[in-house]
Structures are given as structure tokens and as C-alpha cells.
Amino acid sequence: MSDIIQLLPDHVANQIAAGEVVQRPASVVKELLENAIDAQATYIKLIIKEAGKTLIQVIDDGLGMSDTDARLSFERHATSKIKTAEDLFELDTKGFRGEALASIAAIAHVDLKTRQEKDEVGTTIQIEGSEVVTQEVCVTPKGTSISVKNLFYNIPARRNFLKSNTVELRHIIDEFHRVVMAHPFIRFDMYHNENEVFNLPIVNHRQRIVNVFGGKTNEKLVPIKEETDLVTISGYVGKPQYAKRTRGEQFFFVNDRYIKSPYLNHAVNAAFEGLLKEKTHPSYFIYLTVDPKSIDINIHPTKTEIKFEDEHALYAMLRSSIKHSLGQFNVAPVLDFNRDASMDTPYDYKGKVAQTPTIEVDRSFNPFKDEKISGGSSSENKTYTSFKKETPASWENLYVGLESETTTPKQEENSFSSVEFESAEVTGSLFEDNEKQIGHHTTYQLKKKYIVTTIKSGMVIINQHRAHERILYEELLRNITMASAVSQQLLFPLVLSFTTREIELLNTVKEQLENAGFVFGEAADESVEISAIPSATSEQEVPMLIEKLLEDLNSEVPESGYSQTDVLAKSIAKSIAVKTGVVLPAEQLQYMANSLFACTEPTITPDNKPTFITLTVDEIDKKF
């Protein structure tokens, strides 16, 4: 029998390795940015076209490469970061496997230009699918410029699995955030389709967070700082009142490398215990500095998971340092036995002497004594004031003067003949009226959650929140499609703060929001003004509604306009639908029941959950 095991060709092996390293355009962005940081760059520019499907270009002013290094950098497992196996456990750089450029070159057209500072000319290399097309001398600035074009051009199946440009751009911006926040001492610029998305100068950590997430972020941050032999913890956590329904602003960095750690995330949540509203998550930007020998980075293909030597101690330190900061800055309630601020003397009363109140009491006062019986008491020298109620001679005196001058004697006789006195009506039965009303009102609310009403075959039990969600969803779809929504003008326009990415996402659905009843005013770089809202929405609900809408759009960004409208209508309907626990009047209960059965699909919510159940008379009879 002939041998059947054979070595794979290099170009096939590179494509298999690319599956681990390059999952989408954002993976390429991450690898190229990290290479530029390892090259000691002080300025990095990222240029994207068509969400990275057409072009990803990273330009830096780093050390650059010689012509030999430029050619060798595209070989598998070729790296300058490690030389022995022990170096794997003392890493202080981003890349170390030597797989990134080889994997990228296997599935794209790559154009590299690089020059070292000591050289007069640089090197340019063009690679297509792991094959070097040209390598020439060129004139180029100091540093490196690498362009990745037509990603997955030779693997159509992988290219077809890419999402829409909006989704892929969102992943690229996420990776960009993770890199730029760990390195505030490097200047970063980002352009998408020739439009500037980010312009981040060299600043400190706090200012970099503010530049990325908007100016309003500064007032939300509480600094944390803790130094021990095991770890140095620094960074910022968000104040509890600014907690969000999404987990977007949660970042852990270990030795300036972004990581994901559910275990450490639990430590942060434990520190916020009792301070957060239900279903909200705190924001945090935490930087951990540990000994490289105490962690293992090489346990995950994307290097976003790290194995710590002593996780339990790290958990306790992180939790205690956050609790300490929240208490130190009066964010969390603390118990201070030395001073109670509520007991402090106001400035206006400092130095003043307290006056003792005096009370004078007439101990011989008797309210039941008549005016005539004032003598005969033990204290004759005292005078008493009697309180006597003057009563009119007769009730007719109350109406004296009501007659006009032209009143005739005959009219005067009949002036009181038409006076009618109101009297309570005596009924035969105490529950007679209630029994009459039972036939008219057949809709009731049960436990502030369900609407119970009768039908020919028995009874219907309706979930009030889900029913209202279905009613609003269909109404919003009609309004957005026909642009016939009714708006209510706000006396004072609402100004809401958002990040650059969130504003860009809102602009994609701005037309549909306007058709739904929103009216937008002036839009700044980090804020949006809303001057009118849909009639069914209250002003207090708008910030939460917009936040929930952005969360839904982030999780399932639709490609077509119709899908966007559907997601928009679902999100708004779910946010403003009447909640469980709200008491509804009888008229509104009846209206909601009628409106539900007037819908085109009354049986389920937009999320395919049942809105009501029926109980027939036969089913009720079986219970007895």
C-alpha cells in the first residue's frame, strides 16, 4: 500500500493559518496596528475603504525594515521578537508568532513600502496570494506603509461570509478603540472612504478615553490606583448613575494588551454590588501591569485571553481597589463615625446663642364659662374673654338684600317657592348599581399584568405589555412607511451626548426616525438635539429609548432599508409599551383589547412571543 500522508504546500498551509489569524477585516487592522506599535512608531495612520474589503492601509513613522527583513517578514514563523522558547514567557511586545503578515499575504494583495532612518532609499514589495510579484528600490518616508487590498480575493467562500459594510466597520472601530486606548502616547488618525473618523493627539489615559468616547465621559469617570508586589492597577470606572444597558465601554488591559476576562469582569461587578440598577452594566477602563513571567499569552489564536498565575489574589485586589475608590470619591455610601454632614451648623447660625423659648399659659381659663358667670371665681382680679357665637334671629335674614329694586311684591312672594332641596336617593339594594354595570364592563385587569375579557366561546387573557408592543409596532410601521406620524413639540429641546460611532449609526436611521415622529435640531460632533418626539412617548423615556435603539442596531445592523425600519419599529415599540405593574383604567383596557384584535397579526409580538391565551367554557367546566 502506497503512502497517503503528505506535506501540504506552503500556500495551502498559509491559507489554513489565515483562518486562525484573519477572520474579518478587523483582524487585519489589529495585526497591522500592533506591528506599527512594536516598530516604536509615534504617529500611526489607518486608512479604510469599503469597511476594509477593498483597502486597509497602515502608515507609521517607526523604525522601518531593511530590504532583507522586508522580504523575510512575509515568511511563516519569521519574527524578531523571540529567539528561544524561554522568550515566550517574557514578552513585552504585541506580535511574536510571525504568522500575521504571512497569513494576510496568503489571502490578499499586499503592497509594502519601508525605509530605515539611516538609509537613503527604501524597499517596495508586492505580494499576491503568498507569491512575491516584485521587489524594488523606492523613495519613501522613514517608517513603513503596508496596504492590504481585495481581502479574501482567492477564497470566495470566506468573502461571502463577510457581513455588511456597517457591521464590518463597527468591528474595525472596536479593534481601533482597543489599540488606541492602551497607547495614549502615540498619535492615531483613522479615515474611512476618505472621511476622517478619528483624530487622536498624544495625551494621557484619561484624555484619550474622553477623545474616543466623547467629552461628557470626563464627568463620569472615577480614578482607581493600587500598587502591590503582584500587580499594579490603574485606570477609571464609571459612576453608578451612568451605568448602561450594554457592555460596550468595558476594557481590560494587561501590560498594554487588550484582553477579555469574565472572571475579572465579575470582580468589577462585585465591587458595584448594590449600586447599579437592574440589567445595567458599569463602564470601566482598567490597566493591569504584571510581571510577564506570571502570565501566559499564547493560549488563544487572537491573543485576547490570558492565563494568570494567581487569579484569586488578582480578583480580590481588583474588587477592593474599586470599592475603595468609589467610597473615597463619595460615589458609594460610607459610614463615618467622626462626622455627620447633616448635623453641621449652617454658616448663618455660627456664633449665635440659642434662645430659650418662653410660654405664657392662663391656667384659670375655662372655655365653658358663660359671659355672665365671670365673678365667683377664686381669681376675681383676672378678666376673661368669652367666646359667644352670634346666631341670626331667623334663617330668612340670610336672604335679606337679595331682591333687586325691580322685584314686585308678587315676585317676592314666589321668591322661595322654586327652591329645591337636594336629598340622598334611597335605593332598595346596596349592590344594585354594581350588578347593572357588570353587563357593560366585561374587561378587567388581573395582577396589574393581564387583561381579562370575554368572548363567545369563553374568555381571553391578554399580556398587557406584549399586546401594547404589537399594537405600537404595527402603528410605527405604518407611520414610518407613510411618513404620517404625529409629533409633540418639546418646550425645551433635549440634547443627548453620543460617541462618534453612535452618531454615525443614528444618521443611518435618521430618516426613519423622523418618519416615526422625531424632529432633530442642530447636530454637533458629540451631541444630538431633539426638538419633537412621537406623541405616544414621554420626554423622560427618550434617552433610554435611543440607547436601547442603538443597542439593537449594534447587535443586528440590517443591510436593507426595510430591515432597518423593522428593527427601528421593534425597538421603539418595546421601549414605550406599557410595562407590567401599571394600573390601566377600564376604557384603556377595552381599547387595548379591541386594538390588539384589529392588528394584522394579533397572536404574537414582533419577537414571536404569544400575546394572549384563550380559555373555552368547556375547559373551564373540566376544572369543576
Side-chain angles (χ1 to χ4, degrees):
M1 185 176 178
S2 59
D3 299 332
I4 59 174
I5 295 177
Q6 57 185 353
L7 291 174
L8 288 173
D10 285 343
H11 68 279
V12 177
N14 285 342
Q15 288 187 5
I16 294 172
E20 291 185 358
V21 178
V22 184
Q23 300 169 357
R24 57 192 343 144
S27 307
V28 177
V29 171
K30 173 182 180 290
E31 297 292 347
L32 297 185
L33 288 177
E34 289 182 349
N35 283 347
I37 293 168
D38 285 341
Q40 303 176 21
T42 58
Y43 171 52
I44 300 173
K45 181 190 287 188
L46 173 64
I47 300 172
I48 303 292
K49 286 187 179 178
E50 300 297 329
K53 298 175 184 177
T54 304
L55 172 68
I56 300 170
Q57 184 176 7
V58 173
I59 304 171
D60 67 72
D61 61 351
L63 298 175
M65 291 181 284
S66 64
D67 54 352
T68 305
D69 287 345
R71 179 68 175 265
L72 196 60
S73 64
F74 289 98
E75 298 295 329
R76 289 193 69 197
H77 305 302
T79 178
S80 61
K81 315 297 171 55
I82 58 174
K83 292 180 173 60
T84 63
E86 287 74 19
D87 293 341
L88 283 171
F89 302 99
E90 296 182 8
L91 289 168
D92 57 357
T93 57
K94 305 296 180 186
F96 55 88
R97 298 178 184 170
E99 290 182 341
L101 290 181
S103 299
I104 293 169
I107 53 173
H109 297 158
V110 179
D111 187 358
L112 173 72
K113 293 181 180 178
T114 183
R115 180 176 74 84
Q116 293 179 321
E117 188 173 11
K118 63 180 182 180
D119 298 332
E120 294 183 359
V121 292
T123 304
T124 177
I125 299 178
Q126 291 184 357
I127 300 177
E128 297 180 3
S130 296
E131 294 183 5
V132 178
V133 178
T134 58
Q135 178 173 357
E136 299 174 349
V137 174
C138 71
V139 177
T140 183
K142 173 207 168 217
T144 304
S145 169
I146 182 166
S147 303
V148 179
K149 305 174 185 176
N150 305 321
L151 197 64
F152 298 125
Y153 81 100
N154 53 354
I155 313 177
R158 289 290 300 276
R159 190 175 179 88
N160 292 336
F161 273 97
L162 294 179
K163 304 293 184 184
S164 65
N165 286 354
T166 312
V167 176
E168 295 300 340
L169 179 62
R170 176 166 59 88
H171 284 286
I172 289 174
I173 292 177
D174 285 342
E175 289 292 349
F176 185 77
H177 284 172
R178 295 166 182 175
V179 172
V180 300
M181 283 198 299
H183 302 88
F185 307 112
I186 300 176
R187 179 188 166 191
F188 287 90
D189 288 342
M190 177 179 172
Y191 296 85
H192 179 244
N193 291 341
E194 300 181 357
N195 296 320
E196 185 181 88
V197 182
F198 288 101
N199 183 357
L200 306 174
I202 297 174
V203 287
N204 57 24
H205 279 102
R206 183 171 192 140
Q207 194 58 44
R208 175 56 59 88
I209 294 169
V210 171
N211 289 343
V212 171
F213 291 102
K216 294 287 184 180
T217 312
N218 192 35
E219 63 190 37
K220 305 176 185 178
L221 300 179
V222 176
I224 58 173
K225 184 72 175 176
E226 191 71 38
E227 291 188 18
T228 66
D229 295 337
L230 178 66
V231 61
T232 299
I233 303 173
S234 62
Y236 304 89
V237 294
K239 295 179 181 178
Q241 61 265 36
Y242 297 110
K244 293 189 173 184
R245 296 168 61 90
T246 60
R247 300 177 182 268
E249 297 179 5
Q250 296 185 341
F251 295 88
F252 276 117
F253 300 95
V254 175
N255 295 351
D256 291 337
R257 181 192 300 275
Y258 171 80
I259 66 157
K260 295 177 182 177
S261 177
Y263 187 68
L264 295 182
N265 179 71
H266 190 275
V268 178
N269 289 331
F272 278 90
E273 187 178 3
L275 299 176
L276 299 176
K277 295 179 182 178
E278 190 179 358
K279 295 182 180 178
T280 58
H281 308 282
S283 301
Y284 55 80
F285 311 89
I286 298 174
Y287 301 85
L288 308 176
T289 304
V290 298
D291 184 357
K293 295 179 181 179
S294 66
I295 58 174
D296 185 4
I297 303 170
N298 199 23
I299 64 169
H300 195 270
T302 59
K303 294 172 287 187
T304 55
E305 294 183 13
I306 288 179
K307 180 67 176 175
F308 292 96
E309 194 173 55
D310 192 351
E311 281 188 330
H312 297 289
L314 191 59
Y315 180 101
M317 290 177 187
L318 181 60
R319 179 175 175 272
S320 61
S321 63
I322 294 175
K323 286 183 76 72
H324 174 70
S325 293
L326 292 176
Q328 183 181 6
F329 291 92
N330 294 326
V331 176
V334 293
L335 187 62
D336 188 356
F337 291 100
N338 297 324
R339 186 182 70 87
D340 186 356
S342 64
M343 300 297 290
D344 290 349
T345 305
Y347 291 110
D348 294 344
Y349 290 89
K350 281 191 175 179
K352 288 187 178 182
V353 180
Q355 295 180 355
T356 306
T358 57
I359 302 173
E360 294 181 2
V361 179
D362 184 4
R363 298 184 182 279
S364 61
F365 173 70
N366 186 354
F368 300 102
K369 279 191 175 183
D370 192 67
E371 186 180 7
K372 295 178 182 179
I373 311 173
S374 58
S377 126
S378 62
S379 56
E380 296 180 357
N381 296 331
K382 293 191 177 179
T383 58
Y384 300 97
T385 305
S386 62
F387 297 92
K388 184 179 180 182
K389 183 178 180 183
E390 296 183 1
T391 56
S394 60
W395 64 271
E396 289 91 346
N397 292 340
L398 296 172
Y399 298 94
V400 174
L402 290 179
E403 305 94 337
S404 63
E405 295 178 358
T406 57
T407 306
T408 61
K410 190 173 183 182
Q411 289 174 333
E412 193 173 336
E413 275 180 19
N414 299 329
S415 58
F416 296 102
S417 61
S418 60
V419 174
E420 296 181 2
F421 295 93
E422 187 176 351
S423 62
E425 183 181 351
V426 180
T427 59
S429 172
L430 181 63
F431 303 98
E432 184 178 348
D433 289 344
N434 291 343
E435 289 173 0
K436 289 179 182 177
Q437 291 175 2
I438 287 175
H440 299 289
H441 299 288
T442 57
T443 305
Y444 305 95
Q445 191 177 29
L446 179 65
K447 295 291 184 182
K448 302 179 185 178
K449 184 176 183 180
Y450 301 106
I451 301 171
V452 182
T453 185
T454 57
I455 54 175
K456 289 181 180 179
S457 60
M459 62 187 295
V460 178
I461 302 175
I462 303 169
N463 185 306
Q464 68 183 33
H465 173 71
R466 293 182 182 181
H468 199 207
E469 190 180 336
R470 164 52 69 175
I471 295 165
L472 290 171
Y473 170 71
E474 295 200 1
E475 183 182 341
L476 284 164
L477 274 184
R478 284 194 300 272
N479 291 340
I480 295 173
T481 307
M482 303 174 64
S484 59
V486 179
S487 301
Q488 54 176 332
Q489 194 73 24
L490 296 176
L491 185 61
F492 300 102
L494 279 174
V495 179
L496 304 178
S497 299
F498 299 105
T499 63
T500 307
R501 190 184 73 180
E502 289 172 338
I503 289 178
E504 191 174 330
L505 199 56
L506 272 178
N507 287 331
T508 61
V509 292
K510 185 178 180 182
E511 184 180 350
Q512 289 94 326
L513 283 171
E514 289 174 342
N515 292 339
F518 288 93
V519 177
F520 293 94
E522 298 178 359
D525 291 339
E526 298 175 352
S527 62
V528 173
E529 184 181 284
I530 300 175
S531 57
I533 58 177
S535 56
T537 312
S538 66
E539 187 176 344
Q540 293 77 14
E541 292 175 331
V542 173
M544 185 185 69
L545 189 153
I546 299 293
E547 184 182 334
K548 182 69 169 64
L549 173 64
L550 289 171
E551 178 189 345
D552 292 340
L553 289 173
N554 258 327
S555 58
E556 45 174 331
V557 179
E559 297 186 28
S560 63
Y562 177 76
S563 299
Q564 278 186 342
T565 303
D566 187 64
V567 172
L568 187 67
K570 279 182 185 176
S571 183
I572 296 177
K574 195 163 190 175
S575 297
I576 66 177
V578 63
K579 302 296 187 290
T580 298
V582 177
V583 179
L584 301 175
E587 295 80 7
Q588 195 168 348
L589 294 173
Q590 190 66 47
Y591 172 78
M592 195 176 291
N594 294 338
S595 299
L596 175 64
F597 292 108
C599 292
T600 56
E601 189 61 60
T603 56
I604 57 173
T605 66
D607 297 327
N608 295 322
K609 296 176 182 176
T611 56
F612 66 87
I613 60 170
T614 58
L615 284 175
T616 64
V617 177
D618 293 339
E619 289 174 336
I620 297 174
D621 289 340
K622 289 177 182 178
K623 300 292 182 182
F624 296 94

